Amino acid sequence: MSGVAGLGLALQLAVADPWLGTDKVKHFFLAFFVQSVTYSTLRATNVGHESSLLGSGALAMGVGLGKELVDRRRTGHFSLRDLAWDAAGVAGATLLLDRTSR
């Protein structure tokens, strides 16, 4: 019986947290934005390109993780799918920023 109940709970969570949706797009673009602004700020203060990429990516992921911790505290739900979309936003920004002129 507990196996069936566990499967039911897993299915409810999957439906409540789909892979696609407006929330996921927001996670992608917020992570992309945070990394881009942080990278630009670091570069403007003469931090090297590689260090700026690393620092800005870490901060963007930290913001996403912090958001999920707040969500867990408020609603009891921590979404690894949201974090995956945050990581996709960081990856997209990294690809773009890595190809900018220095």
Side-chain angles (χ1 to χ4, degrees):
M1 180 92 163
S2 69
V4 172
L7 179 61
L9 178 61
L11 290 174
Q12 284 177 342
L13 288 175
V15 170
D17 188 26
W19 276 105
L20 300 173
T22 56
D23 180 55
K24 303 309 187 237
V25 173
K26 290 176 186 177
H27 276 272
F28 178 89
F29 283 110
L30 182 61
F32 194 104
F33 176 77
V34 168
Q35 183 170 7
S36 298
V37 170
T38 304
Y39 174 85
S40 298
T41 302
L42 290 171
R43 292 296 287 148
T45 58
N46 295 320
V47 175
H49 171 71
E50 295 296 326
S51 296
S52 294
L53 275 178
L54 182 62
S56 62
L59 180 67
M61 286 306 299
V63 168
L65 180 60
K67 168 73 169 77
E68 290 312 306
L69 291 173
V70 168
D71 285 351
R72 188 175 102 188
R73 191 170 170 198
R74 288 184 181 165
T75 66
H77 181 66
F78 184 95
S79 175
L80 291 175
R81 292 177 182 187
D82 286 352
L83 288 178
W85 279 96
D86 292 333
V90 167
T94 298
L95 287 172
L96 181 67
L97 293 168
D98 192 43
R99 286 158 177 70
T100 58
S101 61
R102 296 174 196 125

